Coordinates of all heavy atoms in Angstrom, one line a residue:
M1 N 16.3 -2.0 5.3 CA 15.0 -1.6 5.5 C 14.1 -2.6 6.2 O 14.3 -3.8 6.0 CB 14.3 -1.4 4.1 CG 12.8 -1.2 4.0 SD 12.0 -1.0 2.5 CE 12.4 0.8 2.2
K2 N 13.3 -2.1 7.2 CA 12.4 -3.0 7.9 C 10.9 -2.5 7.7 O 10.7 -1.4 7.8 CB 12.7 -3.2 9.4 CG 14.1 -3.7 9.7 CD 14.1 -4.0 11.2 CE 15.4 -4.7 11.6 NZ 16.5 -4.0 11.4
V3 N 10.0 -3.5 7.4 CA 8.6 -3.2 7.1 C 7.8 -3.9 8.2 O 8.0 -5.0 8.6 CB 8.3 -3.8 5.7 CG1 6.8 -3.4 5.4 CG2 9.2 -3.3 4.7
T4 N 6.9 -3.1 8.7 CA 5.9 -3.7 9.6 C 4.5 -3.2 9.1 O 4.4 -2.3 8.5 CB 6.1 -3.3 11.1 OG1 6.0 -1.8 11.1 CG2 7.3 -3.7 11.6
V5 N 3.5 -4.1 9.4 CA 2.2 -3.7 9.0 C 1.2 -3.8 10.4 O 1.5 -4.7 11.2 CB 1.5 -4.6 7.9 CG1 2.3 -4.4 6.7 CG2 1.6 -6.2 8.3
D6 N 0.2 -3.0 10.4 CA -0.7 -3.1 11.5 C -2.0 -3.6 10.9 O -2.8 -3.0 10.3 CB -1.1 -1.7 12.0 CG -1.8 -1.7 13.2 OD1 -2.6 -2.7 13.4 OD2 -1.8 -0.7 14.1
E7 N -2.2 -5.0 11.2 CA -3.4 -5.7 10.6 C -4.7 -5.1 11.1 O -5.8 -5.2 10.5 CB -3.3 -7.1 10.9 CG -2.1 -7.8 10.2 CD -2.0 -9.2 10.6 OE1 -2.8 -9.7 11.4 OE2 -1.0 -9.8 10.1
D8 N -4.6 -4.4 12.4 CA -5.9 -4.0 13.0 C -6.4 -2.8 12.3 O -7.6 -2.5 12.4 CB -5.6 -3.7 14.5 CG -5.4 -4.9 15.4 OD1 -5.7 -6.0 14.9 OD2 -4.6 -4.7 16.3
I9 N -5.6 -1.9 11.6 CA -6.0 -0.9 11.0 C -6.0 -0.9 9.5 O -6.7 -0.1 8.8 CB -5.3 0.5 11.4 CG1 -3.8 0.4 11.0 CG2 -5.3 0.8 12.9 CD1 -3.1 1.7 11.2
C10 N -5.5 -2.0 8.9 CA -5.7 -2.3 7.3 C -7.1 -2.4 7.0 O -7.8 -3.1 7.7 CB -4.9 -3.6 7.1 SG -5.1 -4.1 5.4
C11 N -7.5 -1.6 6.1 CA -8.8 -1.7 5.6 C -9.0 -2.5 4.3 O -10.0 -2.6 3.6 CB -9.4 -0.4 5.3 SG -8.5 0.6 4.1
G12 N -7.9 -3.3 4.0 CA -8.0 -4.3 2.8 C -8.1 -3.6 1.4 O -8.6 -4.2 0.6
A13 N -7.6 -2.4 1.3 CA -7.7 -1.7 0.1 C -6.9 -2.4 -1.0 O -7.4 -2.2 -2.3 CB -7.3 -0.2 0.2
G14 N -5.7 -3.0 -0.7 CA -5.0 -3.7 -1.6 C -4.0 -3.0 -2.5 O -3.4 -3.5 -3.4
T15 N -3.9 -1.6 -2.3 CA -2.9 -0.8 -3.1 C -1.6 -1.4 -2.8 O -0.7 -1.2 -3.6 CB -3.1 0.7 -2.9 OG1 -3.2 0.9 -1.4 CG2 -4.3 1.2 -3.5
C16 N -1.3 -1.8 -1.6 CA 0.1 -2.2 -1.3 C 0.4 -3.4 -2.1 O 1.6 -3.6 -2.6 CB 0.2 -2.5 0.2 SG -1.0 -3.8 0.8
V17 N -0.5 -4.3 -2.4 CA -0.2 -5.5 -3.1 C 0.1 -5.3 -4.6 O 0.9 -5.7 -5.3 CB -1.4 -6.4 -3.1 CG1 -1.2 -7.8 -3.9 CG2 -1.8 -6.8 -1.6
M18 N -0.6 -4.1 -5.2 CA -0.4 -3.7 -6.4 C 1.0 -3.0 -6.6 O 1.7 -3.2 -7.7 CB -1.5 -2.8 -6.9 CG -2.8 -3.6 -7.3 SD -4.0 -2.4 -8.0 CE -5.0 -2.2 -6.5
S19 N 1.4 -2.3 -5.6 CA 2.7 -1.6 -5.6 C 3.8 -2.5 -5.5 O 4.9 -2.5 -6.2 CB 2.8 -0.6 -4.5 OG 1.8 0.5 -4.7
A20 N 3.7 -3.6 -4.6 CA 4.9 -4.3 -4.3 C 4.3 -5.7 -3.9 O 4.3 -6.2 -2.8 CB 5.6 -3.8 -3.0
P21 N 4.0 -6.5 -5.1 CA 3.4 -8.0 -4.8 C 4.4 -8.9 -4.1 O 4.0 -9.9 -3.7 CB 3.0 -8.3 -6.2 CG 3.7 -7.5 -7.1 CD 4.1 -6.1 -6.4
D22 N 5.8 -8.6 -4.3 CA 6.7 -9.5 -3.6 C 6.8 -9.3 -2.1 O 7.3 -10.2 -1.4 CB 8.1 -9.3 -4.2 CG 8.2 -9.6 -5.7 OD1 7.4 -10.6 -6.0 OD2 9.0 -9.1 -6.5
V23 N 6.2 -8.2 -1.6 CA 6.3 -8.0 -0.2 C 5.0 -8.1 0.5 O 4.9 -8.5 1.7 CB 6.9 -6.5 -0.1 CG1 7.1 -6.1 1.6 CG2 8.2 -6.4 -0.7
F24 N 3.9 -7.7 -0.1 CA 2.6 -7.7 0.3 C 1.6 -8.7 -0.4 O 1.7 -8.9 -1.5 CB 2.0 -6.3 0.4 CG 2.8 -5.2 1.1 CD1 3.5 -4.4 0.3 CD2 2.9 -5.2 2.4 CE1 4.3 -3.4 0.8 CE2 3.7 -4.3 3.0 CZ 4.4 -3.3 2.3
D25 N 0.8 -9.3 0.5 CA -0.3 -10.1 -0.1 C -1.6 -9.8 0.8 O -1.4 -9.0 1.7 CB 0.1 -11.7 0.0 CG -0.8 -12.4 -1.0 OD1 -1.8 -11.9 -1.6 OD2 -0.6 -13.6 -1.1
Q26 N -2.6 -10.4 0.3 CA -3.9 -10.1 1.2 C -4.5 -11.4 1.5 O -4.5 -12.4 0.7 CB -4.9 -9.3 0.3 CG -4.6 -7.9 0.3 CD -5.5 -7.1 -0.7 OE1 -5.4 -7.3 -1.9 NE2 -6.5 -6.5 -0.1
R27 N -5.1 -11.5 2.7 CA -5.9 -12.7 3.1 C -7.0 -13.0 2.2 O -7.8 -12.0 1.9 CB -6.3 -12.6 4.6 CG -5.2 -12.6 5.6 CD -5.6 -12.9 7.0 NE -6.6 -12.2 7.5 CZ -6.5 -11.5 8.7 NH1 -5.5 -11.6 9.4 NH2 -7.6 -10.9 9.1
D28 N -7.2 -14.2 1.8 CA -8.4 -14.4 1.0 C -9.7 -14.1 1.7 O -10.7 -13.5 1.0 CB -8.5 -16.0 0.6 CG -7.3 -16.3 -0.3 OD1 -6.8 -15.4 -1.1 OD2 -6.9 -17.4 -0.5
E29 N -9.8 -14.4 3.0 CA -11.2 -14.2 3.7 C -11.6 -12.7 3.6 O -12.8 -12.4 3.4 CB -11.1 -14.7 5.1 CG -10.3 -16.0 5.4 CD -8.8 -15.7 5.6 OE1 -8.5 -15.4 6.7 OE2 -8.1 -15.9 4.6
D30 N -10.7 -11.8 4.1 CA -11.1 -10.5 4.3 C -10.3 -9.4 3.8 O -10.6 -8.2 4.0 CB -11.3 -10.3 5.9 CG -10.0 -10.6 6.6 OD1 -9.0 -10.8 5.9 OD2 -10.0 -10.6 7.8
G31 N -9.2 -9.7 3.0 CA -8.4 -8.8 2.3 C -7.4 -8.1 3.2 O -6.7 -7.3 2.7
V32 N -7.3 -8.5 4.5 CA -6.3 -7.9 5.3 C -5.0 -8.2 4.9 O -4.6 -9.4 4.4 CB -6.6 -8.3 6.8 CG1 -5.4 -7.9 7.6 CG2 -7.8 -7.7 7.3
V33 N -4.0 -7.2 5.0 CA -2.7 -7.5 4.5 C -1.9 -8.6 5.1 O -2.0 -8.8 6.4 CB -1.9 -6.0 4.7 CG1 -1.6 -5.8 6.0 CG2 -0.6 -6.1 3.9
I34 N -1.1 -9.2 4.3 CA -0.1 -10.3 4.7 C 1.3 -9.7 4.4 O 1.5 -9.5 3.3 CB -0.4 -11.6 4.1 CG1 -1.7 -12.2 4.3 CG2 0.8 -12.7 4.5 CD1 -2.1 -13.4 3.5
L35 N 2.2 -9.6 5.4 CA 3.5 -9.2 5.1 C 4.4 -10.4 4.7 O 4.6 -11.3 5.5 CB 4.2 -8.5 6.5 CG 5.5 -7.9 6.2 CD1 5.6 -6.9 5.1 CD2 5.9 -7.4 7.5
L36 N 4.7 -10.5 3.4 CA 5.4 -11.7 2.8 C 6.9 -11.5 3.2 O 7.7 -12.5 3.5 CB 5.4 -11.7 1.4 CG 3.9 -12.0 0.9 CD1 3.9 -11.9 -0.7 CD2 3.3 -13.3 1.3
D37 N 7.5 -10.3 3.3 CA 8.9 -10.1 3.4 C 9.2 -8.7 4.3 O 9.1 -7.7 3.8 CB 9.5 -9.9 2.0 CG 11.0 -9.8 2.1 OD1 11.6 -9.8 3.2 OD2 11.6 -9.7 0.9
P38 N 9.4 -8.9 5.5 CA 9.7 -7.8 6.4 C 11.1 -7.2 6.2 O 11.3 -6.1 6.8 CB 9.6 -8.6 7.8 CG 10.0 -10.0 7.6 CD 9.4 -10.3 6.2
A39 N 11.9 -7.8 5.5 CA 13.2 -7.2 5.2 C 13.5 -7.3 3.7 O 14.3 -8.1 3.3 CB 14.2 -7.9 6.0
P40 N 12.8 -6.5 2.9 CA 13.0 -6.6 1.4 C 14.3 -6.2 0.9 O 15.0 -5.3 1.4 CB 11.8 -5.7 0.9 CG 11.4 -4.8 2.0 CD 11.8 -5.5 3.2
A41 N 14.6 -6.9 -0.3 CA 15.8 -6.5 -0.9 C 15.9 -5.1 -1.4 O 14.8 -4.4 -1.7 CB 16.1 -7.5 -2.0
A42 N 17.0 -4.5 -1.7 CA 17.2 -3.1 -2.1 C 16.4 -2.7 -3.2 O 15.8 -1.7 -3.3 CB 18.7 -2.9 -2.3
E43 N 16.3 -3.6 -4.2 CA 15.6 -3.3 -5.5 C 14.1 -3.2 -5.3 O 13.4 -2.6 -6.1 CB 15.9 -4.3 -6.6 CG 15.3 -5.7 -6.3 CD 16.5 -6.6 -5.8 OE1 17.4 -6.0 -5.0 OE2 16.5 -7.8 -5.9
L44 N 13.6 -3.6 -4.0 CA 12.2 -3.4 -3.8 C 11.8 -2.3 -3.0 O 10.6 -1.9 -2.7 CB 11.7 -4.7 -3.1 CG 11.7 -6.0 -3.9 CD1 11.4 -7.2 -2.9 CD2 10.9 -6.0 -5.1
H45 N 12.9 -1.5 -2.5 CA 12.5 -0.5 -1.5 C 11.7 0.6 -2.1 O 10.9 1.2 -1.4 CB 13.9 0.2 -1.1 CG 14.7 -0.8 0.0 ND1 15.8 -0.5 0.6 CD2 14.4 -2.1 0.2 CE1 16.3 -1.5 1.3 NE2 15.4 -2.5 1.1
D46 N 12.0 1.1 -3.3 CA 11.2 2.2 -3.8 C 9.7 1.7 -3.9 O 8.8 2.5 -3.5 CB 11.6 2.5 -5.3 CG 12.9 3.4 -5.3 OD1 13.3 3.9 -4.1 OD2 13.6 3.5 -6.3
A47 N 9.4 0.5 -4.3 CA 8.1 0.0 -4.3 C 7.4 -0.1 -3.0 O 6.3 0.2 -2.8 CB 8.0 -1.4 -5.2
V48 N 8.2 -0.4 -2.0 CA 7.7 -0.6 -0.5 C 7.3 0.8 -0.1 O 6.3 1.1 0.5 CB 8.7 -1.2 0.3 CG1 8.3 -1.1 1.7 CG2 8.9 -2.7 -0.1
R49 N 8.3 1.9 -0.3 CA 7.9 3.2 0.0 C 6.7 3.7 -0.6 O 5.8 4.4 0.1 CB 9.1 4.1 -0.2 CG 10.3 3.9 0.7 CD 11.4 5.0 0.4 NE 12.8 4.4 0.8 CZ 13.7 4.0 0.1 NH1 13.5 4.0 -1.2 NH2 14.8 3.5 0.6
E50 N 6.5 3.4 -1.9 CA 5.2 3.8 -2.5 C 4.1 3.2 -1.9 O 3.2 3.9 -1.7 CB 5.5 3.5 -4.1 CG 4.2 3.9 -4.9 CD 4.3 3.4 -6.3 OE1 5.3 3.8 -7.0 OE2 3.4 2.7 -6.7
A51 N 4.2 1.9 -1.6 CA 3.1 1.2 -1.0 C 2.7 1.8 0.3 O 1.5 2.1 0.6 CB 3.4 -0.3 -0.8
A52 N 3.7 2.2 1.1 CA 3.4 2.8 2.4 C 2.8 4.1 2.3 O 1.9 4.4 3.0 CB 4.8 2.9 3.2
S53 N 3.2 5.0 1.3 CA 2.7 6.3 1.2 C 1.4 6.2 0.5 O 0.5 7.1 0.8 CB 3.6 7.2 0.2 OG 3.6 6.7 -1.2
M54 N 0.9 5.2 -0.2 CA -0.4 5.1 -0.8 C -1.3 4.4 0.0 O -2.5 4.4 -0.3 CB -0.2 4.5 -2.1 CG 0.5 5.3 -3.2 SD 0.7 4.5 -4.7 CE -0.9 4.2 -5.3
C55 N -1.0 3.7 1.0 CA -2.0 3.0 1.9 C -2.8 3.9 2.6 O -2.6 4.8 3.3 CB -1.1 2.2 3.0 SG -2.3 1.3 4.1
P56 N -4.2 3.7 2.3 CA -5.2 4.6 2.8 C -5.4 4.7 4.2 O -5.8 5.6 4.8 CB -6.4 4.3 2.1 CG -6.3 2.9 1.6 CD -4.8 2.7 1.4
A57 N -5.0 3.5 4.8 CA -5.2 3.4 6.3 C -3.8 3.7 7.1 O -3.8 3.6 8.3 CB -5.6 1.9 6.5
R58 N -2.7 4.1 6.3 CA -1.4 4.2 6.9 C -1.1 3.0 7.9 O -0.6 3.2 9.0 CB -1.4 5.6 7.9 CG -1.8 6.8 7.0 CD -0.5 7.6 6.9 NE -0.6 8.6 5.8 CZ -0.1 8.6 4.6 NH1 0.6 7.5 4.2 NH2 -0.2 9.5 3.8
A59 N -1.4 1.9 7.3 CA -1.1 0.6 8.1 C 0.3 0.0 7.9 O 0.6 -1.0 8.5 CB -2.1 -0.4 7.6
I60 N 1.1 0.7 7.0 CA 2.4 0.2 6.7 C 3.5 1.1 7.3 O 3.3 2.3 6.9 CB 2.6 0.1 5.1 CG1 1.6 -0.8 4.5 CG2 4.0 -0.4 4.8 CD1 1.6 -0.9 3.0
A61 N 4.4 0.7 8.0 CA 5.5 1.4 8.6 C 6.7 1.0 8.1 O 7.1 -0.3 7.9 CB 5.4 1.3 10.0
V62 N 7.7 1.9 7.5 CA 8.8 1.5 7.1 C 10.0 2.3 7.8 O 9.9 3.4 8.1 CB 8.9 2.1 5.5 CG1 10.3 1.8 4.9 CG2 7.9 1.4 4.6
S63 N 10.9 1.3 8.2 CA 12.2 1.9 8.9 C 13.3 1.7 7.9 O 13.5 0.6 7.4 CB 12.3 1.2 10.2 OG 13.6 1.3 10.6
E64 N 14.1 2.8 7.8 CA 15.2 2.7 6.9 C 16.4 2.0 7.6 O 17.4 1.7 6.9 CB 15.6 4.0 6.4 CG 14.5 4.8 5.6 CD 14.2 4.1 4.2 OE1 15.0 3.3 3.8 OE2 13.1 4.3 3.7
E65 N 16.4 1.7 8.8 CA 17.6 1.0 9.5 C 17.6 -0.5 8.8 O 16.7 -1.1 8.6 CB 17.5 1.0 10.9 CG 16.2 0.2 11.5 CD 16.1 0.5 12.9 OE1 15.7 1.6 13.3 OE2 16.4 -0.4 13.7
E66 N 18.9 -1.0 8.9 CA 19.0 -2.4 8.4 C 18.9 -3.4 9.5 O 19.1 -3.1 10.6 CB 20.5 -2.5 7.7 CG 20.6 -1.7 6.4 CD 19.5 -2.1 5.3 OE1 19.2 -3.4 5.2 OE2 18.9 -1.3 4.7
Ligands
LIG101 S1 -2.8 -0.7 1.3 FE1 -3.0 -0.5 3.5 S2 -5.1 -0.8 3.9 FE2 -4.7 -1.6 1.9 S3 -4.3 -3.7 2.1 FE3 -2.3 -2.7 2.1 S4 -1.9 -2.4 4.3 FE4 -4.1 -2.8 4.0

């Protein structure tokens, strides 16, 4: 799995951080997403997919290729 985020469209809602705190964080200044782990381990994949589906800005892209 490969994860990318689009910081330009992230609205800082933070639902990704709640779903997958090992993969996403937020900048202290403005809440914009920080991608901690662009290639998360298998046990995190469900949480990452949930984060991507719940992101209100659709700022998280998930590719299933390794
Ligand atoms: S859920 Fe989406 S909009 Fe909210 S902080 Fe994460 S990437 Fe940004």
Side-chain angles (χ1 to χ4, degrees):
M1 171 183 277
K2 289 196 177 69
V3 183
T4 55
V5 296
D6 187 338
E7 296 173 5
D8 292 336
I9 61 172
C10 169
C11 63
T15 46
C16 57
V17 181
M18 282 184 267
S19 297
D22 291 330
V23 180
F24 305 103
D25 199 355
Q26 285 177 281
R27 297 201 299 236
D28 288 337
E29 319 86 86
D30 53 12
V32 167
V33 67
I34 300 167
L35 183 60
L36 299 174
D37 186 356
E43 62 266 27
L44 298 173
H45 288 186
D46 283 350
V48 171
R49 286 189 201 102
E50 180 183 299
S53 71
M54 290 175 60
C55 172
R58 299 250 165 259
I60 301 169
V62 176
S63 160
E64 297 293 340
E65 63 191 71
E66 289 303 319

